[in-house]
Structures are given as structure tokens and as C-alpha cells.
Amino acid sequence: MRSHPHRARYLALGTTALLAAALIAGCSSGGGSKPSSSGPIIIGTSLSLTGDFSTDGIAFEKGYELWVHDINAHGGIMGRKVQLDILNDNSSQTQVVTNYTDLINVKHVDLTFGPFSSLLTAPAAEVAHRYNFAFIEGAGGSPLVFGEKLPDVFDVALPVANELDPFVNWIKSLPASQRPTTAAYPMANDPFATPQVQLAQSELQPLGIKTLYSKIFPEEEPDYLPNADIVAGKKPQAVILGSVDVPTVAAFMKGFEEQHYNPKVFVAAAGPDQGSAFESAVGGPGNANGMMVPDAWYPGYPSATSQAMVNEYVAKYGGTASGVNADVAEAYSVGEVTAQAVEATHSLSGPKLIAYLHSGVTLTSVEGPVSFNSIGENVKAIAFIFQWQNGKFVQVLPTTATGSVPILYPKTNWSS
Amino acid sequence: MGTEIAHAIADGILGGGVYALMAAGLTLVFGVLDIINVAQGILVVLGAYLSYVLSVHLHIDLLVGLLITVPAMFVIGVGIYWLFIRTLRGAERTSMTLLACFAVALIIEGVLYREFGSNYVSLNAWYVNQSVHIFGFYLADIYLIGFGLAVAAVVVLYLILYRTTFGRAVRATMQNQTAARLIGIDVNRVAALTFGIGVAVTAIGGMVYGSITSFTPNSGYDLISRLLAIVILAGMGSIGGALAAAVFMTTIEALVDIWQPDWSIVVFYLAMVIVLTFRPQGLFGRHAVRAQ
Amino acid sequence: MTKQTVAQGSGLLLLLAVAAVFPLVFTNPTATNFAVVTLVFVAVASAWNIFSGFSGYLSLGHAVFYGTGAYFLTVAANDWKLSAGAIFWLVPLAGLAAAVIAVPLGLVALRVRRHTFVVITIAFFFIAQLSASNLSVTGGSSGMLVPQPNWAGATFNNPFYYVALVIAVATIVLAWLVRRSRFGLQLRAIRDDEDRAAGLGVRAMPVKLAALVLSAFITGMAGAVWVYFTGEAVPQFVFDPLFDLAIVLMAFFGGLGTVAGPVLGALVLQPAQLWLNLEETNSYSSEILFGALFLVVILFLPRGVLPTGAEYLSKAQAWIRRRRAAPGETAREPAAGADDAITPTSAPGGAA
């Protein structure tokens, strides 16, 4: 038995354990000052700046930062400036829990904003709940989040399942001879995409629109072409695609083009709402023409604050108005709702804010009116359907809503 | 239904070709050097980004751009081997080369993120969205090109291995390193050049891959898993076998897509597991059970 | 009882005492949060090492066991409507579920060697992840919530801490016992040269399978604790490809095949990763750093920090002893120390 290497090893282990403990203790005692009532208001949030959700995480970051910049230009909240403390959760469940624990217990933030994605919002909301923080967020709208039935969760964005309602209503409003007679419902296996498409299918089938294809495919498919080919082969007049990102839509569009197949109407759950990222991925405005997508907001939304926000975004980050990602508006709305709640209750106390937000009051945001039910859903959120027309992203449905332009139907053919 | 199945099989075969093209470098390195280069996924993505830069910033056509990206990737491959892998030997060689390649993959991925961010991009050219009309359906041009390139790559690699002096040195190294050294082969040089060739072929795979689908630096992970499955299913070192294995797997997947697309990827991996249970050396593997 | 054993024993007891009072001293929930996550990974890295480190079969599919344990606890906690404290009793059951899964997986995978084995474990990983996304019993791609306790925020993490501590300590003890036992010797013989070991009478398949089942049991428990702690089971997070790579790095960093190695690796790397994300919000430099660190370890510390470090320490001690000995008189030094990890001298199955 060689004991010397043993000793060396255990010595090393012991030292490391102590070092690890010291590191853990050290980083958990440093940081923020105790909350005061006259310094800046510190708002903490965890965003996915790297990892799977990074595109949206970064858009959210820009939205939050834009709002902070604006609110401070108008004197802050309750006369105090606002400061943002953003941590990166790397799209990781473990990290988001650590981050909010840290923000609340070490950095001693006054308020919290939500992270990106329901998958991260659910665990994060539990942490906030534990410490009696109001948790206002704009990206956690799936049943997973609301299933917790936490009183502190407030989702300013549109609940996911109803996003396609205006589309369905429009089809219903068409005379029977003009409606598409057949439809395909390909869906990515994702809690965001599947519910709304399935709901749409259940409403369109009774109208006599024959379902030629209704299947769920893996969310991270290396190659969507075989699926696109199968759908194209059936030649449905309408395609309602449950996509979650630009690559999925782009792949289906590409597959359809290669099969020389063009549906009369094509609506995708997500992707066409990503502005210039979408347009360039599909090869330009010619191909994008006619593509429809639901959303609660778009850069052209006719509200003064929304327009102001869009102009500022373009001024600060460049690009054009149509390139502004809807995530930015969602994040901005989170800030707006928070500010209104704090001003109204004149306090930063979590329980007071929670009580106020659950009182049925209607607040305003760049995305329209906001009012929460008992589990935190925004029941006044409006759904719109948008369409690309000649390189512009315009609102088309509901036809009666202010700002809607005539819908382009049937969809024009591919032209890259 | 008949056309549908025929179309799916055609898609499967062509798709298999594309994967074989991406996996060719991996197979070569595995067969000759007994190294599983888990950086292969990100190297494909790197090849795609290189083609992207040439196409978007210098307006060089994708196929023409290969004249630049292939030698560039060759140099990168030789560099990776020489700096990080050459010195690894001994008992833990399998794990260590695996981890070294993974470390290299992490670094490449980080660099790509810094350069390009996480937005999806894809490669475009006039032939990327065109298709040919055959048997009552359409086959995308880019897949046909990809399949053709895959076959060409297999042929070229075979020619190199079996018709050149260098190839003979490579095969000698593959069979018995010590003996090869004894007859005067510079094993390190052969290894480095082989690795370089493997990565160079990957440049072509990257170009086709990027034309078929959008990609980001994160795309490497799903890719490498599929490529590994194909290579292991084919068996050690069989390049033509990798083409067959790839076609086998992607065709099954495309057929499953007709009925249950959500299980198609599971079937892909399950097929591999089942084959390996009965034939541990892979479909075309050479060695018998002892050293598998 | 030699002096050294006493010294080692009391040192370990001291360490245990420190660990036991850690949450009482460092009461900030962030500290205990770090600790819980770190201890979970200490257990997983050690468990992985019990199988892969000792037997030489590199598994990149341990997330399957982690996930099985996690989903078992989630489904059971939802279906059986247990109280917050009682949910902890599901943890060993979750481990059992993972152990049961390990049997058929092991019977299939352990028939092949080296690279093929690694790739089969990867295949199992994807099959598990995708199946969890498709099946309704696991909640599909939306995932499922784990009922969370209503405990006060200030001490919420502490019960998790103690459960994780118990599991981690038990795993380390287990690893130590395995290493010293005949079973451990058989495993190392398999690692060195499986066919020769078989020729000497070691029944390879049962031995390998036993190690895998043991490893799976612990990993499943760790997954259950983690999922209860963070509150949700979602396929893409539960079955995370980087999970397996992180464990491998930890075990490697500390020293593959040793008892203390994976513990060291987890103790250093897990808090470092959490901390790095807290401090370095800017992007991908952390990834590049990780990759570079990896390469450094592989190229310069190929047997891991601990064995190499221990070697240096021994060499230093020997050097000091030589200096202290009077000229002409050779120092009484113990036989030069190769550590008692039997260093493998040939790759399993053939020439390098």
C-alpha cells in the first residue's frame, strides 16, 4: 500500500473542497448593497445571451435596455433612475435558477423581469415566488408556466393557443366557394407550435376543409425536405405550419418551391415574424410574398408609443423598421407594465404589486392593453395576423382592426 | 401512395449521399488513424461558413469557392492534427483523442459565434432552389449535385488509397504502425496528411450542407451524432460502406416520415443499435470480434 | 492504526463536519444553491467514474440514467400526490428505475468495445431524449412540472443540500470500496485487457453490467434530486448533450479511475461554470476558455490533475528528503511511488 500518493491526493482533495467552499461562500456574499429608498431602482433579470435561445434572448435584452433608456429619459420611476442587472443563463435551466437566486439574495435587486422562454420562466417564477417578488414576463405563455398557478406570474404576451384565431375567423368569413377545400397541418414538436395549429385544425375541419396531412415532426430535424416533399405531394390548398423558427419555415418553403408547388394560403406559427432574418433566409421579398404569421405586435402597429419605440430602436441599433423583432416589443411591454404598477402602488413591495396587478386593472403597452386573470394570463391581448406584401410586413387580420390592409389571397407563386 | 414511397426513397438515397459526403472525412480518419474526430460536425459547419463568406462577401460562386475552401480546410486539418493530436498515445488514447477533438470543436464553435453570431444563415446560388422532374416528382438539384460529389469523393479517396504511393503508406500505417515505421514510413507525416485530407473533403460536405439547410454555430451537435452513427454502422474504415450505411439510414428515416415523422429520428438511431447488436463490427467492418 | 491513518481519518472527519454545517454558516441561498448543484455533480461524476473510469468503457449516454431518475420522480410526484418532504423518498426509487433501465441497455451496449460502445451510448441518448418528447406520459415536448414545496425562501435550499450531501458522500465511499475490492480489481483487469482478463477467469459481462447498474442507480438519484430542486422536467434540459461531456471533463480533469479525481473535478469545474456565467455575461469567451482548458488538461496533464499533481508532490518530497540526508548517507525513502492506481499499460484490445 503506497500511502504517500494517497496522502498527497487526500491533501489535494481537502484543500480543493475548502477552496470550493470558499469560492461558493465568497461569490455569494459580495455584490449588491442593501436596498435603499433613494438610490437607483435595480431590476434584475436572467436572459439567454448564449445557447439555444440566444437569438431571442438578445432581442429581449435590447427591448429591456431600450425601455430603461426611455424611462430614465422621462425621469425614471417614482423619481428614481432605473438600472438593469442582466445575467446570462446560457439557455440553461440550472443556471436560470442560480441566476434569480443570486439576483434576489446577493445583488438585492428591487424588481425582477422574466427570462426568455416558458421552459426557463417556469423554474424562475418559482424562485421569485419563494421570495415574494412579482414576476412580470413576456416570454412564458405555455401551459407549463400557468400550470404552476403561481400568484406572482404575469405574462404580458398573448397566450399561445389562440394565436391563429383571427386566421380561422377569416376563413369562416369567406363564402364557401372561395375557401380552400383542402389543408395540411405539419407541426414541429414544440409546446408553442402544436397547440395553436391543432386548435385551428379542429375549427377548420367542420367547415368541410379536408385534412390531407396532420402530423408532428421532431423539432430539431436535420433535414425537413422529406416532410416538405410529402406535404407538397398531396397538394393541399392551405398549409398551416406549426413552426418555431425561421429555418423550419424556410426549409418548407424551399421544399415547396423545388416541388413546383404553391399553396393558395400559407400561414406559419413563427418565422415570418422575424423580420429581415426571415426575408433573407427565404431568398428575398419575392418568395416571402404572401406568407402569413400570427403575432401580437408588428413594427407598423399604429400606436404612438410603439412607433416611438421602433424609431428609437432603429436609431440605436440600425436596420429598418420592418426588421424589428417582436421580442423587443414584448420586453418593452414588461418594462411598461412594471412601471405602471410601481407608480400606481407607489411601492416596490412584491405583495403590493401582485395584489395590484391581480385587481383587474387594465394597463397599456406598446402591444396594446394588458389585464391579468388569476393565473397571470393577459386576457386583453390582441391577436393579429400579418402578411408579407411586396417586401413589407403588414397587418391583415382581423379585417376590422385598425390598420389592417386587404389580404393577399391567393398567395403568389415563388420567385426567388 | 406509390409515388409517395418512391419519392421518399429517392429523397432518402440522395440525402444519404449528402451525409456520406459529410462523413467521408470522418470515416477516413477513423479507418486510418483509429480516431473518432468528434469535431467533424463543427468542421462541416466551418466549411459552410467559409463558403458563406466567399459567396456573400466576395461573390464567388459556391462550387467555384470550393477551390479555395478545400485547400484551406486541408491546412486547418493538418494543423489540428499536428498541434493537438499527434502527441497523444498510450492506454487512454481512445478517450484522450475523443476529448481533444471535442475541445477543438468547442474552440471552433466559440470562434464562429464570435465572428457570426447566432443568426441562421444559409448558402444560396442559382442552382440551390432548382429541381429536376423525374418519375412524376421533382428532385432538388442541390441534392443531385451533393450525391454526385459524394460518389466522386468516394472514388477519389479510393484512388488515392489504392493507386498512389502515398496511399500505400497510408494503408500500411493503418494495418500496423510499428511495422510501417520499420520500413521507413514517416508515420506522423502520413497521419497528418490523412487528417488533412479528411478535413479537406469536409469542406465540400459543408458547402452542400449549408445549401440544403440553414445553420448556426450550434448546428454541429446534431450533425456529429448522425455522422458518428453512420460511420460506426458502416464499420471501421470502409468509405464506400459509409455511403451505403448513410443511404440505408436516411432512406428508412424518409419512409418513416410518411407515417410517423415524430419517430423518424428515433428509428434512425434504433436501426443502428439493432444492426450493431447482431453485427458489432458494423455492416462492412473488417475486423472480427476480438478488436471488433 | 498507524499515525497516517489517524491523520487521514481525522482529516476526512473534519471535512465531513465542515460540509455538515456549511448551510448554517453560509446562509445565503446562493451559496447553498451552488452547493446543491455541485454536490449533485460530485455524485454523478463519481458514479460515472465507477463505471467508465474503472472499466475503460467511455459512456456518453449517462444522461439517459439521469433523465430516467428525473422523469420517474416527476411522474410519481405528480401521480401519487405526496407531501413536500415525502417526495424525497422517491429519490432512491428513481435510482432504482434508472438501474433497471441499465440492464437491457447494458446487455446490448456492452457487447461492443471502444468507439462502437461510445457511439451506441450516444444513440441511446438521442433515443431517450426524443422518446421523452413524444410520449405523453412524460409530458411530451412541453415537459412537466414538479410540485414545489412551500418552504421559506431563506432556508429552502437546505433540505436539498443535505440530501445531495448524503448521496455524494455515499457515492465517494462506494467508489472507494469498489476500488479496494476484488470487484474493482476485475474491472481494472477488464480495462487493461479484456480478453486476457476473460482468459484468467474474469466473467466480463456480469462484472461490466454490475458496474453500469451501480453507476446508473446513483446517477438516477442525482437526476431526481436535481429535477426536484429546479422544478421542471423538460426533454431538452433533462437530456442535455453537454451534461455527459461535462462529467467526462470533470472526471478527466481530476484523474480518471481514481476515487478522488472526479470529486475534485466536480468541485472545481461545476462552481466555476456557474460562477463564470454570473460574472462573464458576454458570450462565447467562456466556451473558448473551456475548450482551451480541456486541451491543456489533455495535453499536459493526461492522467488528470490529481495523479499528476500527486506525482509532483511525491517527487518534491523525495527531493527534499534527499537534500536533508547527510552527504554520503542515502536517505531512507520509501520505494518511489507509482500510485496504487494500476496504470494501464496497453490499450484494451490491441495496439495503440
Side-chain angles (χ1 to χ4, degrees):
Chain A
M1 215 24 131
R2 311 261 181 255
S3 56
H4 286 202
H6 254 316
R7 193 204 305 167
R9 190 165 300 153
Y10 286 118
L11 193 66
L13 183 61
T15 324
T16 318
L18 287 169
L19 272 176
L23 171 71
I24 289 173
C27 64
S28 64
S29 58
S33 43
K34 291 285 182 275
S36 76
S37 52
S38 58
I41 297 180
I42 312 207
I43 306 186
T45 181
S46 167
L47 286 175
S48 307
L49 301 176
T50 55
D52 281 343
F53 307 141
S54 54
T55 319
D56 296 286
I58 293 177
F60 252 71
E61 185 188 25
K62 294 198 173 127
Y64 284 157
E65 282 175 349
L66 203 59
W67 173 78
V68 167
H69 175 258
D70 280 357
I71 198 85
N72 283 339
H74 286 97
I77 306 181
M78 298 195 299
R80 296 163 63 180
K81 292 271 184 219
V82 173
Q83 234 176 47
L84 208 50
D85 193 347
I86 302 183
L87 295 180
N88 177 17
D89 54 44
N90 197 21
S91 310
S92 147
Q93 170 177 341
T94 317
Q95 190 73 46
V96 81
V97 168
T98 305
N99 284 354
Y100 279 101
T101 309
D102 181 77
L103 286 168
I104 292 175
N105 291 293
V106 174
K107 303 272 170 57
H108 297 297
V109 297
D110 298 298
L111 300 165
T112 48
F113 282 168
F116 180 77
S117 169
S118 302
L119 303 179
L120 295 177
T121 305
E126 284 283 357
V127 175
H129 169 63
R130 220 174 281 162
Y131 301 103
N132 289 316
F133 269 69
F135 204 63
I136 305 174
E137 45 94 358
S142 91
L144 190 73
V145 171
F146 299 122
E148 293 175 319
K149 298 203 180 12
L150 290 174
D152 65 316
V153 172
F154 299 98
D155 179 19
V156 304
L158 176 68
V160 160
N162 300 96
E163 294 213 347
L164 285 171
D165 286 352
F167 174 77
V168 169
N169 292 334
W170 169 70
I171 299 265
K172 285 184 183 163
S173 74
L174 292 174
S177 55
Q178 283 186 29
R179 285 183 207 146
T181 53
T182 54
Y185 305 91
M187 301 167 262
N189 194 0
D190 180 274
F192 168 81
T194 335
Q196 45 179 309
V197 175
Q198 286 175 331
L199 186 62
Q201 178 181 353
S202 68
E203 306 241 337
L204 293 175
Q205 245 173 231
L207 296 179
I209 299 178
K210 189 150 166 252
T211 302
L212 296 181
Y213 178 95
S214 170
K215 293 199 198 295
I216 301 181
F217 53 86
E219 185 181 352
E220 301 229 349
E221 179 93 74
D223 187 5
Y224 298 98
L225 191 77
N227 293 308
D229 284 352
I230 294 170
V231 173
K234 298 191 190 284
K235 301 205 186 316
Q237 291 197 341
V239 175
I240 295 104
L241 174 66
S243 54
V244 290
D245 55 20
V246 171
T248 316
V249 189
F252 269 84
M253 289 169 65
K254 192 183 263 196
F256 289 171
E257 188 181 354
E258 282 161 3
Q259 295 302 313
H260 292 241
Y261 156 71
N262 183 44
K264 271 172 80 171
V265 59
F266 192 165
V267 60
D273 59 328
Q274 298 287 311
S276 43
F278 169 73
E279 209 182 21
S280 57
V282 300
N287 271 344
N289 213 32
M291 291 297 297
M292 300 204 280
V293 65
D295 215 334
W297 180 88
Y298 67 117
Y301 183 57
S303 111
T305 42
S306 177
Q307 292 297 309
M309 181 195 79
V310 169
N311 292 332
E312 268 180 56
Y313 181 95
V314 172
K316 193 168 182 204
Y317 298 112
T320 63
S322 3
V324 180
N325 190 327
D327 288 335
V328 173
E330 269 166 18
Y332 199 92
S333 305
V334 170
E336 289 179 292
V337 167
T338 309
Q340 289 170 66
V342 171
E343 292 279 8
T345 57
H346 221 76
S347 113
L348 296 169
S349 135
K352 288 213 181 116
L353 294 169
I354 293 171
Y356 175 73
L357 289 166
H358 274 309
S359 66
V361 62
T362 302
L363 305 173
T364 60
S365 78
V366 291
E367 294 196 320
V370 175
S371 180
F372 301 108
N373 65 10
S374 60
I375 54 174
E377 291 170 316
N378 178 3
V379 294
K380 294 244 170 88
I382 323 168
F384 296 110
I385 301 282
F386 302 90
Q387 187 176 45
W388 283 87
Q389 293 184 2
N390 300 317
K392 284 201 179 22
F393 191 61
V394 295
Q395 173 187 323
V396 290
L397 299 173
T399 44
T400 49
T402 343
S404 285
V405 302
I407 191 169
L408 173 67
Y409 173 68
K411 177 183 173 309
T412 56
N413 206 343
W414 309 108
S415 59
S416 43
Chain B
M1 178 49 74
T3 336
E4 211 167 47
I5 295 183
H7 195 174
I9 294 179
D11 276 343
I13 294 177
L14 292 182
V18 173
Y19 272 99
L21 183 60
M22 295 191 270
L26 185 60
T27 319
L28 180 69
V29 165
F30 183 35
V32 173
L33 302 175
D34 195 23
I35 292 176
I36 291 265
N37 178 11
V38 292
Q40 184 72 6
I42 197 66
L43 285 170
V44 169
V45 174
L46 176 65
Y49 270 111
L50 288 178
S51 294
Y52 175 75
V53 166
L54 289 180
S55 158
V56 168
H57 295 295
L58 296 177
H59 304 289
I60 302 180
D61 175 71
L62 296 176
L63 285 171
V64 170
L66 287 179
L67 293 173
I68 302 177
T69 62
V70 169
M73 297 273 282
F74 174 77
V75 170
I76 293 175
V78 171
I80 294 175
Y81 180 84
W82 202 258
L83 292 172
F84 305 122
I85 304 183
R86 177 178 46 111
T87 53
L88 300 175
R89 50 184 65 111
E92 306 283 355
R93 190 173 173 273
T94 310
S95 341
M96 292 199 323
T97 50
L98 202 75
L99 293 171
C101 289
F102 174 63
V104 169
L106 274 184
I107 295 180
I108 296 179
E109 187 181 335
V111 168
L112 286 175
Y113 263 126
R114 285 185 87 98
E115 282 305 307
F116 298 103
S118 59
N119 289 323
Y120 280 96
V121 293
S122 67
L123 301 175
N124 282 304
W126 63 267
Y127 39 83
V128 166
N129 283 345
Q130 308 281 58
S131 53
V132 189
H133 195 136
I134 300 183
F135 310 128
F137 46 78
Y138 291 89
L139 292 177
D141 278 6
I142 188 63
Y143 277 85
L144 292 167
I145 295 176
F147 192 84
L149 286 171
V151 172
V154 169
V155 167
V156 166
L157 287 175
Y158 260 122
L159 287 177
I160 294 181
L161 279 180
Y162 286 94
R163 291 270 187 276
T164 67
T165 334
F166 172 72
R168 198 141 13 105
V170 169
R171 280 182 292 128
T173 313
M174 181 162 72
Q175 284 172 13
N176 193 327
Q177 269 201 15
T178 325
R181 249 188 225 116
L182 284 175
I183 59 172
I185 294 177
D186 183 346
V187 163
N188 270 329
R189 206 179 71 108
V190 166
L193 290 175
T194 311
F195 202 90
I197 294 177
V199 176
V201 174
T202 311
I204 312 177
M207 180 222 114
V208 176
Y209 170 74
S211 313
I212 287 174
T213 175
S214 321
F215 55 94
T216 80
N218 206 33
S219 308
Y221 290 111
D222 283 319
L223 257 189
I224 185 61
S225 324
R226 296 173 73 90
L227 295 177
L228 284 176
I230 290 171
V231 167
I232 290 286
L233 177 63
M236 196 181 220
S238 172
I239 300 179
L243 180 56
V247 167
F248 171 65
M249 306 258 267
T250 49
T251 309
I252 292 183
E253 205 180 12
L255 284 171
V256 173
D257 271 338
I258 299 180
W259 295 284
Q260 289 288 125
D262 47 349
W263 290 100
S264 59
I265 302 185
V266 172
V267 169
F268 179 92
Y269 286 109
L270 213 55
M272 182 201 91
V273 171
I274 292 175
V275 171
L276 287 176
T277 314
F278 295 111
R279 225 184 128 78
Q281 71 269 36
L283 290 172
F284 306 98
R286 274 167 224 161
H287 301 262
V289 181
R290 195 205 167 190
Q292 131 225 5
Chain C
M1 280 283 246
T2 66
K3 244 195 328 192
Q4 274 150 9
T5 325
V6 172
Q8 278 174 42
S10 35
L12 288 170
L13 278 175
L14 183 63
L15 216 59
L16 225 76
V18 168
V21 301
F22 179 89
L24 305 172
V25 173
F26 299 107
T27 53
N28 194 307
T30 307
T32 42
N33 177 301
F34 267 67
V36 170
V37 177
T38 304
L39 287 171
V40 164
F41 273 89
V42 165
V44 175
S46 295
W48 182 87
N49 184 53
I50 288 178
F51 172 70
S52 287
F54 291 165
S55 75
Y57 279 73
L58 203 68
S59 158
L60 288 185
H62 258 56
V64 173
F65 306 128
Y66 194 72
T68 306
Y71 269 107
F72 181 88
L73 184 133
T74 310
V75 174
N78 276 306
D79 279 354
W80 299 347
K81 310 235 181 313
L82 301 169
S83 71
I87 293 185
F88 280 118
W89 290 113
L90 290 175
V91 171
L93 289 180
L96 219 60
V100 163
I101 292 265
V103 174
L105 294 188
L107 287 173
V108 169
L110 291 169
R111 303 172 71 222
V112 298
R113 310 262 182 99
R114 294 193 310 134
H115 299 131
T116 315
F117 177 78
V118 174
V119 176
I120 284 198
T121 59
I122 295 178
F124 284 148
F125 168 86
F126 279 103
I127 294 175
Q129 186 200 54
L130 291 164
S131 301
S133 304
N134 286 341
L135 298 170
S136 53
V137 65
T138 50
S141 61
S142 315
M144 296 173 75
L145 295 167
V146 184
Q148 291 278 278
N150 252 328
W151 303 328
T155 50
F156 183 88
N157 297 341
N158 295 1
F160 292 96
Y161 174 83
Y162 286 112
V163 171
L165 181 65
V166 164
I167 295 179
V169 169
T171 310
I172 297 173
V173 169
L174 200 65
W176 184 72
L177 286 173
V178 166
R179 186 108 166 311
R180 304 185 62 158
S181 70
R182 189 159 161 269
F183 176 58
L185 194 60
Q186 290 175 324
L187 278 172
R188 290 206 300 284
I190 291 175
R191 182 176 76 179
D192 290 351
D193 191 327
E194 184 161 347
D195 299 293
R196 197 184 298 163
L200 291 172
V202 173
R203 294 170 62 226
M205 181 53 104
V207 168
K208 292 186 286 188
L209 195 60
L212 184 65
V213 167
L214 191 57
S215 180
F217 177 67
I218 301 166
T219 310
M221 288 202 291
V225 173
W226 171 83
V227 86
Y228 190 21
F229 183 60
T230 49
E232 71 174 11
V234 168
Q236 69 190 84
F237 291 143
V238 169
F239 297 104
D240 178 1
L242 293 177
F243 173 84
D244 281 295
L245 295 163
I247 314 173
V248 173
L249 178 60
M250 286 174 199
F252 235 85
F253 180 77
L256 203 63
T258 65
V259 173
V263 179
L264 173 68
L267 283 177
V268 170
L269 293 179
Q270 188 53 42
Q273 186 183 43
L274 285 178
W275 180 78
L276 209 67
N277 266 321
L278 283 184
E279 297 303 310
E280 176 73 42
T281 60
N282 185 18
S283 62
Y284 303 100
S285 17
S286 61
E287 208 166 317
I288 302 184
L289 238 84
F290 239 64
L293 171 68
F294 226 130
L295 278 177
V296 162
V297 169
I298 293 169
L299 293 176
F300 300 112
L301 302 168
R303 285 168 46 228
V305 168
L306 268 185
T308 321
E311 267 174 32
Y312 284 138
L313 213 57
S314 304
K315 284 197 196 136
Q317 284 170 342
W319 183 79
I320 294 174
R321 218 167 274 117
R322 270 201 301 274
R323 294 293 310 278
R324 275 212 223 112
E329 182 189 317
T330 37
R332 238 171 311 127
E333 47 177 80
D339 54 327
D340 63 313
I342 296 178
T343 323
T345 51
S346 62

